[in-house]
Amino acid sequence: MVHISILGPLLIGDGQKTIGVRAKKIRVMLTMLALNPGQVVAFDELIDELWGEAPLKNTRNALQANVRRMRKSLAELGLADGEEGLIRTVDNGYMLDMPEDALDAYRFLRLAEQGASLVNREPHEAIGRLRESLAMWRGPALLDVSDGPRCRAVALRLDEQRKTAREDLIQAQLQAGEAGVVVAELKQLLAQYPERERFSEQLMIALYRCGRQSEAVDIFHRTRKWLDEELGLKPSQRLHTLYQAILMQDPSLL
């Protein structure tokens, strides 16, 4: 069965070997189809993603030529079953005949969702699933295909979900008593994403549980200052409540 990976540069594999796709327009077309497995992607939608506001005079012919090249790439993996192979011409568009699980992004989202649901009830199981989901990433999503508006939007959404999965993983680790383990990683993440208050919250909790109350308080003040100077915002009520709980040494934080 074909496997397509978009959590990084585009790759196609069959479990035995993996190939990249050199031509950018073919990478974009294959990604567009893979994001909608078993569904028709209209000619016009593909043309808009590939050529935008400057379409060719013969875009339909150019589209067909790229599909032929894409089928040839799939044939290199022995996946050209029948006249059309995995790429079917249907009605007013094309369809990729493969299940959702053949795309790494769908597997990532499913595992991340499962892990998130287990954080409070079974944190060790959550840690395993969230780590497995994050291990699928090889770089920024759709790294070599994200110029068009649809692919760019998907890339941004997947990147956001990757950050959320990292937050969920750290939360599971905190639930599992690994406060000391996550401090260094949280400091790095907060430096990289200072706008994400959940990382601030988690770092404050981790530091407090390690007996570093003054550092936890300092994180709150640094976050408040950054939000004010960069975004003109105040800390959320949730973060402010945590700050007050740390000052009061609330037993529920341990």
Side-chain angles (χ1 to χ4, degrees), residues 61-116:
N61 290 338
L63 196 63
Q64 291 171 349
N66 280 308
V67 169
R68 286 195 294 271
R69 294 167 67 194
M70 183 163 50
R71 286 173 174 151
K72 184 177 179 181
S73 295
L74 292 170
E76 293 178 21
L77 288 171
L79 297 170
D81 55 319
E83 185 177 344
E84 294 192 331
L86 291 168
I87 311 297
R88 313 281 185 190
T89 305
V90 184
D91 298 329
N92 64 334
Y94 296 104
M95 181 181 76
L96 184 60
D97 188 12
M98 73 174 199
E100 285 187 351
D101 275 3
L103 185 68
D104 61 348
Y106 281 105
R107 298 196 303 276
F108 158 72
L109 291 171
R110 187 185 69 247
L111 279 168
E113 184 179 355
Q114 291 172 355

Side-chain angles (χ1 to χ4, degrees), residues 151-177:
C151 287
R152 188 164 57 245
V154 171
L156 289 171
R157 187 164 66 248
L158 285 170
D159 182 62
E160 178 67 21
Q161 288 160 327
R162 182 187 190 183
K163 293 173 190 171
T164 299
R166 294 187 79 174
E167 292 171 339
D168 290 336
L169 172 58
I170 290 170
Q171 191 63 35
Q173 289 177 280
L174 288 171
Q175 289 288 101

Side-chain angles (χ1 to χ4, degrees), residues 99-164:
E100 285 187 351
D101 275 3
L103 185 68
D104 61 348
Y106 281 105
R107 298 196 303 276
F108 158 72
L109 291 171
R110 187 185 69 247
L111 279 168
E113 184 179 355
Q114 291 172 355
S117 70
L118 294 168
V119 167
N120 294 317
R121 294 184 290 109
E122 300 178 55
H124 290 96
E125 179 68 21
I127 288 170
R129 297 197 190 192
L130 288 162
R131 280 181 173 158
E132 184 180 353
S133 73
L134 290 166
M136 295 181 188
W137 288 75
R138 297 169 290 108
L142 285 73
L143 178 61
D144 49 0
V145 297
S146 59
D147 289 350
R150 293 170 181 81
C151 287
R152 188 164 57 245
V154 171
L156 289 171
R157 187 164 66 248
L158 285 170
D159 182 62
E160 178 67 21
Q161 288 160 327
R162 182 187 190 183
K163 293 173 190 171
T164 299

Side-chain angles (χ1 to χ4, degrees), residues 204-219:
M204 288 166 65
I205 291 172
L207 287 167
Y208 183 77
R209 290 180 181 175
C210 291
R212 298 157 68 176
Q213 181 179 359
S214 61
E215 290 180 62
V217 169
D218 184 56
I219 292 297

Side-chain angles (χ1 to χ4, degrees), residues 25 43-63:
K25 291 199 184 310
F43 295 136
D44 290 345
E45 191 173 341
L46 290 166
I47 288 168
D48 183 58
E49 189 74 8
L50 288 165
W51 289 285
E53 298 179 358
L56 305 174
K57 290 182 180 179
N58 57 345
T59 47
R60 186 65 63 85
N61 290 338
L63 196 63

